[in-house]
């Protein structure tokens, strides 16, 4: 971000020592460490920092590039290309297809999320405890881990001065209905309410992994290899001994090969790529790639007579949790005109007439705690492909959630409401809400998107119905763990960032316990690398 | 963004695809309601830059799909037309594109993808944002400075007011 004269503004720069970018490497390379962490999102960076702080030699391997806060802009096409996987065009196949977005950069999806930090609801933890028989995940057992996660994430609520008119109006609408709103706890440090969260925070206020746990891990001596695409986990018998893949250039195309060896490999590449990587590495488990959950989101837009200026004010300040136990969460969030236009109906003059009212629009959404089941499989190009089937209960919950959200918007004063149903695109009064109730249930006619996926390598007591044990270690394999939302036993119904961090902290200590005599194991791992391929200590910023 | 800047020249689309993309823009670009800014060249460059960051399968598939759109009127236009999409009159282009959008399947997805990217880039153009009264960039500049000042104040106040969770 530059000022009007092109000079960099004076935000304190964060040092990133021990970083090597794949595009700068001009040969095949081999690395050795105590621990390799694949992915630098909420789970990966937290695990890396925790293990590095314990004194282990950690190598973080990240497919995306290191984009510093100073490089963030407010231009969606530019930032979608830089920070998002597939430039934000990923899809979960099914009826309907669900548009999916995740980060692909150092810091992972924490760089592009809204920063909402909610503890896993107690009723979800109770379910994990009772139905899935996962030990030490009861609300009481998890409390210290949530507290630790909130310290790391620097969780606080937005100052009221940063609330936008649209946020206040949404909260007022809920209050008139007698539905309490909750102010979002968010990971931020003196947020000034710019609302550029989804494109990377140029003020540096959002405490994403890019500005918290990644630099902390590096300060504790961890190394970061960015622009490095892991393609396979290496095994010796049933023990994981490292990873192999390709470095990528600035154009995202593969260049040189790399291999990294360590007695412990932690996968934190997200609920799509973590199981994909395990499948490509020929790991077999009946539950691998199954149980994918997607938190389907349905957008509901209110059209108001008075201006709401939705581009002014913090990203998302309130949520309605009143129907959380019914699987429904509601919120409103401001989005830039270009992003809103993507999903606004109409073409040419019709589209223009709708978008002309941009400053009078309130974009709300309902997030559903899904019960349907999705899968991750390998496609013909050996990349993981997701599919998801809404259950009939999900379809009902989405319709109810949309109706409740529309009710909030009408209560807030909306003149009309745009719905996510192709066969009922708009309603004009609260009396027409009944049309949603009687609407023919056609899943293919619902427009859905999501930014949360989970459950595709879930925790279980034994290997029969899960992939990892309650500590995140993969059943039947030594030296391999998972530390992202893949390991959730079920959908959680709220933003998953804090749950991922809390579980990563909880599991880091357990994983570390498997690393006895780390120096000796590191030497053992290094000795398995042919001498000619070893990176000399002075060869790069990473090798040591 | 300026069309003359070599760094902004199209990187993915060849001349044929560019012609088809321009026809799509002519057909569906927002019109009236204060959205008649002469920004089509800039939008074309922005769309091209965005398309070049798509995954490999889409980078290959998108130009192929655009060829199908271009040569499709004899098959898909209602009534059938023995010409190319880019040579149709604007109103017919709009009706033909709209038919693709609602066709579902691969045709629907392609039209939806093109529509999505064109509108994303169009509505973020500085002139279009200005016409909406939106100054996101200017606000960002101000707020980055505001937060820098807040951090400077805190640094002056001393380490006791430092952030939580930082072990540095």
């Amino acid at each position: 971000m530059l000022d009007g004269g092109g000079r960099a503004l004076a935000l304190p720069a964060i040092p990133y020592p021990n970083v090597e970018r794949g595009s700068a490497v001009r040969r095949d390379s081999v690395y050795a460490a105590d621990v390799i962490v694949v992915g630098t999102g909420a789970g990966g960076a937290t695990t890396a920092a925790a293990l590095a702080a314990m004194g282990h030699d950690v190598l973080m391997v990240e497919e995306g590039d290191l984009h510093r806060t100073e490089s963030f802009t407010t231009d969606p096409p530019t930032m979608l290309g830089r920070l998002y996987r597939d430039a934000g065009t990923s899809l979960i196949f099914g009826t309907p297809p669900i548009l999916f977005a995740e980060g692909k950069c150092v810091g992972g999806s924490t760089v592009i999320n809204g920063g909402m930090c909610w503890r896993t609801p107690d009723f979800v933890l109770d379910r994990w405890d009772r139905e899935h028989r996962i030990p030490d995940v009861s609300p009481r057992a998890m409390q210290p881990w949530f507290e630790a996660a909130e310290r790391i994430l620097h969780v606080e609520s937005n100052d009221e001065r940063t609330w936008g008119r649209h946020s206040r109006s949404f909260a007022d609408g809920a209050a008139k209905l007698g539905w309490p709103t909750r102010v979002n706890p968010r990971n931020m440090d003196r947020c000034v309410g710019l609302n550029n969260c989804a494109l990377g925070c140029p003020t540096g206020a959002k405490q994403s992994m890019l500005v918290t746990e990644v630099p902390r891990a590096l300060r504790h001596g961890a190394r970061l290899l960015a622009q490095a695409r892991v393609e396979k986990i290496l095994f010796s018998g049933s023990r994981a001994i490292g990873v192999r893949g390709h470095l990528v250039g600035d154009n995202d195309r593969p260049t040189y090969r790399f291999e990294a060896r360590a007695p412990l490999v932690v996968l934190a590449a997200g609920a799509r790529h973590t199981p994909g990587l395990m499948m490509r590495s020929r790991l077999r488990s009946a539950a691998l790639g199954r149980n994918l959950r997607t938190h389907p989101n349905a957008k509901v837009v209110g059209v108001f007579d008075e201006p709401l200026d939705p581009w002014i004010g913090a990203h998302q300040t309130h949520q309605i949790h009143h129907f959380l136990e019914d699987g429904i969460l509601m919120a409103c969030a401001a989005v830039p005109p270009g992003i809103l236009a993507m999903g606004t109906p109409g073409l040419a003059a019709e589209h223009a007439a709708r978008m002309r009212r941009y400053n009078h629009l309130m974009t709300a959404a309902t997030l559903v705690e899904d019960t349907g089941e999705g899968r991750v499989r390998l496609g013909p190009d050996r990349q993981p492909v997701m599919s998801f089937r809404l259950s009939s209960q999900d379809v009902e919950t989405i319709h109810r959630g949309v109706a409740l959200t529309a009710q909030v918007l009408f209560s807030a004063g909306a003149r009309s409401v745009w719905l996510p149903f192709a066969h009922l695109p708009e309603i004009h009064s609260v009396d027409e809400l009944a049309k949603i109730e009687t609407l023919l249930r056609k899943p293919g006619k619902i427009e859905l998107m999501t930014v949360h996926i989970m459950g595709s390598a879930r925790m279980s007591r034994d290997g029969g119905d899960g992939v990892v044990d309650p500590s995140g270690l993969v059943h039947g394999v030594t030296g391999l763990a998972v530390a992202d939302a893949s390991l959730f036993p079920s959908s959680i119904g709220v933003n998953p960032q804090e749950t991922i961090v809390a579980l990563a902290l909880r599991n880091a200590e357990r994983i570390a316990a498997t690393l006895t005599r780390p120096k000796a194991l590191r030497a053992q791992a290094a000795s398995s690398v042919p001498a000619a391929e070893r990176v000399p200590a002075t060869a790069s910023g990473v090798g040591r | 963004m300026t069309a003359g800047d070599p760094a902004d020249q199209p990187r993915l689309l060849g001349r044929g695809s560019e012609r088809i993309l321009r026809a799509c823009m002519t057909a569906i670009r927002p019109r009236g309601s204060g959205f008649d800014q002469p920004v089509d060249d800039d939008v074309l460059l922005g769309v091209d830059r965005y398309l070049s960051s798509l995954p490999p399968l889409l980078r290959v598939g998108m130009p192929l799909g655009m060829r199908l759109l271009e040569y499709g009127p004899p098959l898909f236009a209602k009534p059938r037309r023995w010409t190319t999409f880019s040579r149709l009159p604007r109103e017919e282009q709009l009706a033909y594109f709209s038919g693709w959008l609602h066709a579902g399947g691969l045709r629907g997805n392609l039209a939806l993808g093109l529509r999505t990217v064109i509108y994303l880039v169009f509505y973020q153009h500085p002139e279009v944002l200005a016409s909406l009264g939106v100054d996101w960039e200017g606000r960002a500049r101000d707020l980055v400075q505001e937060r820098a000042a807040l951090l400077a104040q805190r640094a002056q106040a001393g380490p006791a007011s430092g952030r939580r969770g930082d072990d540095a």
Side-chain angles (χ1 to χ4, degrees):
Chain A
M1 176 67 59
L2 302 175
D3 69 9
R7 295 175 298 271
L9 291 163
L11 278 173
I14 294 174
Y16 292 93
N18 302 328
V19 177
E20 188 163 57
R21 296 171 68 234
S23 58
V25 178
R26 294 280 177 270
R27 58 177 180 165
D28 293 350
S29 303
V30 179
Y31 306 90
D34 295 337
V35 186
I36 296 162
V37 179
V38 181
T40 56
T46 302
T47 304
L51 294 177
M54 290 174 206
H56 298 293
D57 176 18
V58 176
L59 175 67
M60 295 179 276
V61 184
E62 166 60 52
E63 182 178 4
D65 200 357
L66 172 62
H67 296 285
R68 295 167 192 253
T69 298
E70 307 88 273
S71 72
F72 293 161
T73 78
T74 57
D75 183 47
T78 303
M79 298 316 294
L80 287 171
R82 278 190 203 162
L83 301 180
Y84 282 67
R85 184 175 295 285
D86 304 336
T89 61
S90 305
L91 206 60
I92 300 171
F93 292 96
T95 307
I98 302 174
L99 191 63
F100 168 63
E102 69 178 342
K104 193 183 85 174
C105 53
V106 171
S109 293
T110 68
V111 176
I112 50 102
N113 70 11
M116 278 66 78
C117 292
W118 291 99
R119 296 184 179 191
T120 326
D122 286 357
F123 67 88
V124 173
L125 291 176
D126 284 335
R127 193 193 307 149
W128 289 2
D129 183 25
R130 282 198 318 270
E131 294 176 21
H132 297 274
R133 298 180 297 118
I134 309 293
D136 306 327
V137 291
S138 66
R140 189 171 175 175
M142 285 299 292
Q143 184 171 331
W145 301 114
F146 287 131
E147 287 167 359
E150 285 158 8
R151 278 195 299 276
I152 282 173
L153 291 164
H154 198 265
V155 175
E156 60 187 29
S157 298
N158 266 96
D159 188 314
E160 275 194 48
R161 284 172 298 183
T162 67
W163 296 0
R165 209 179 293 177
H166 58 289
S167 298
R168 293 175 192 277
S169 185
F170 181 80
D172 289 346
K176 283 181 198 164
L177 295 167
W179 302 344
T181 51
R182 297 183 66 180
V183 177
N184 273 324
R186 300 174 65 215
N187 55 319
M188 57 193 181
D189 179 24
R190 308 219 170 179
C191 172
V192 283
L194 171 59
N195 184 23
N196 208 63
C197 311
L199 305 176
C201 179
T203 73
K206 183 167 71 173
Q207 298 299 285
S208 71
M209 294 294 134
L210 174 68
V211 300
T212 54
E213 291 301 84
V214 169
R216 191 165 82 92
L218 295 173
R219 283 201 302 274
H220 283 294
R223 295 164 289 158
L224 168 61
L225 179 61
Q227 295 182 305
R229 185 176 294 148
V230 175
E231 287 154 1
K232 206 173 174 188
I233 307 160
L234 302 174
F235 291 97
S236 172
S238 63
R239 169 177 268 283
I241 56 166
V243 297
R244 178 186 290 161
H246 274 89
L247 304 170
V248 295
D250 287 330
N251 58 5
D252 209 31
R253 293 187 179 151
T255 56
Y256 296 91
R257 282 181 291 191
F258 79 95
E259 204 169 289
R261 302 284 183 100
L264 175 61
V265 176
V266 180
L267 304 180
R272 174 187 178 190
H273 282 270
T274 285
L277 182 52
M278 287 198 267
M279 288 175 195
R280 273 204 304 275
S281 309
R282 299 187 187 282
L283 264 172
R284 291 178 197 281
S285 163
L288 183 60
R290 293 180 183 272
N291 307 303
L292 178 73
R293 300 290 189 268
T294 63
H295 277 180
N297 270 248
K299 187 178 67 179
V300 185
V301 179
V303 184
F304 289 72
D305 284 329
E306 69 275 17
L308 296 172
D309 297 328
W311 58 285
I312 296 174
H315 173 70
Q316 188 193 107
T317 55
H318 298 77
Q319 291 187 350
I320 300 174
H321 286 193
H322 194 54
F323 302 94
L324 209 57
E325 295 203 27
D326 299 339
I328 294 169
L329 183 153
M330 290 177 276
C332 91
V335 291
I339 303 280
L340 182 66
M342 292 159 71
T344 299
L347 291 170
E350 185 194 352
H351 197 270
R354 286 181 185 266
M355 284 302 295
R356 176 45 57 193
R357 301 198 59 79
Y358 172 74
N359 280 318
H360 297 255
L361 301 178
M362 184 194 295
T363 307
T366 184
L367 178 153
V368 166
E369 184 195 342
D370 47 324
T371 60
E373 189 181 331
R375 274 192 80 168
V376 178
R377 296 179 175 90
L378 288 184
D381 58 353
R382 311 286 290 161
Q383 291 302 307
V385 177
M386 296 177 288
S387 60
F388 186 78
R389 183 194 295 261
L390 291 172
S391 68
S392 55
Q393 185 185 333
D394 294 338
V395 174
E396 282 309 313
T397 311
I398 289 168
H399 281 75
R400 182 165 176 239
V402 167
L404 292 170
T405 310
Q407 200 174 342
V408 177
L409 297 183
F410 280 123
S411 168
R415 189 160 48 84
S416 64
V417 170
W418 303 343
L419 301 175
F421 305 125
H423 51 323
L424 183 62
E426 188 169 0
I427 53 176
H428 298 89
S429 73
V430 75
D431 298 333
E432 290 188 316
L433 283 171
K435 287 185 179 176
I436 299 175
E437 205 172 308
T438 57
L439 190 67
L440 204 58
R441 298 320 193 220
K442 290 185 176 177
K445 300 279 187 185
I446 311 172
E447 183 196 321
L448 296 174
M449 62 87 61
T450 186
V451 287
H452 307 157
I453 54 171
M454 62 210 91
S456 50
R458 71 177 176 185
M459 286 189 280
S460 67
R461 266 184 182 269
D462 54 61
D465 59 351
V467 177
V468 301
D469 73 12
S471 302
L473 292 160
V474 176
H475 286 298
V477 179
T478 310
L480 185 62
V482 171
D484 57 32
S486 309
L487 52 66
F488 291 6
S490 73
S491 183
I492 63 170
V494 295
N495 311 71
Q497 176 173 244
E498 186 169 334
T499 305
I500 297 170
V501 172
L503 285 173
L505 288 170
R506 165 189 178 270
N507 291 349
E509 288 192 0
R510 299 166 178 222
I511 291 169
T514 67
L515 271 172
T516 50
R517 297 186 300 123
K519 295 288 178 197
L521 282 169
R522 180 181 158 213
Q524 183 191 333
S527 69
S528 64
V529 177
E533 294 178 8
R534 276 180 221 155
V535 179
T538 55
S540 71
V542 172
R544 63 177 192 180
Chain B
M1 183 164 31
T2 57
D5 185 346
D8 287 338
Q9 294 303 313
R11 294 185 298 172
L12 178 71
L13 302 179
R15 202 169 290 171
S17 298
E18 190 184 324
R19 188 184 68 243
I20 303 165
L21 184 61
R22 191 176 289 279
C24 290
M25 279 200 327
T26 307
I28 69 166
R29 93 186 290 288
R31 256 190 289 282
S33 303
F35 290 123
D36 295 311
Q37 297 81 1
V39 297
D40 288 14
D41 287 342
D42 287 349
V43 175
L44 183 69
L45 288 170
V47 170
D48 198 331
R49 266 194 322 193
Y50 179 80
L51 293 180
S52 65
S53 57
L54 291 177
L57 209 58
L58 285 179
R59 279 203 296 256
V60 174
M62 192 66 104
L64 288 176
M66 286 163 67
R67 293 298 188 286
L68 188 63
L69 179 77
E70 171 73 347
Y71 298 109
L75 283 174
F76 305 118
K78 290 176 184 171
R80 291 183 181 193
R81 292 294 310 271
W82 295 97
T83 184
T84 57
F85 167 62
S86 54
R87 287 173 189 242
L88 288 171
R90 199 176 69 187
E91 289 311 310
E92 287 187 43
Q93 282 178 335
L94 178 59
Y96 174 69
F97 190 93
S98 180
W100 273 59
L101 196 61
H102 297 107
L106 279 178
R107 281 200 295 143
N109 282 333
L110 175 77
L112 185 63
L114 286 170
R115 174 195 184 279
T116 299
V117 181
I118 289 170
Y119 285 168
L120 169 68
V121 178
F122 178 88
Y123 285 104
Q124 289 301 135
H125 190 283
E127 286 183 37
V128 176
L129 288 174
S131 83
L132 284 168
V134 173
D135 183 15
W136 207 295
E137 176 69 23
R139 189 163 180 270
R141 274 199 299 271
D142 293 346
L143 291 181
V144 168
Q145 280 178 324
E146 185 181 322
R147 183 165 182 275
L150 281 173
L151 295 184
Q153 277 173 13
R154 186 168 70 189
Q156 279 180 343
S161 58
R163 25 181 319 275
R164 288 179 289 157
D166 193 340
D167 60 3

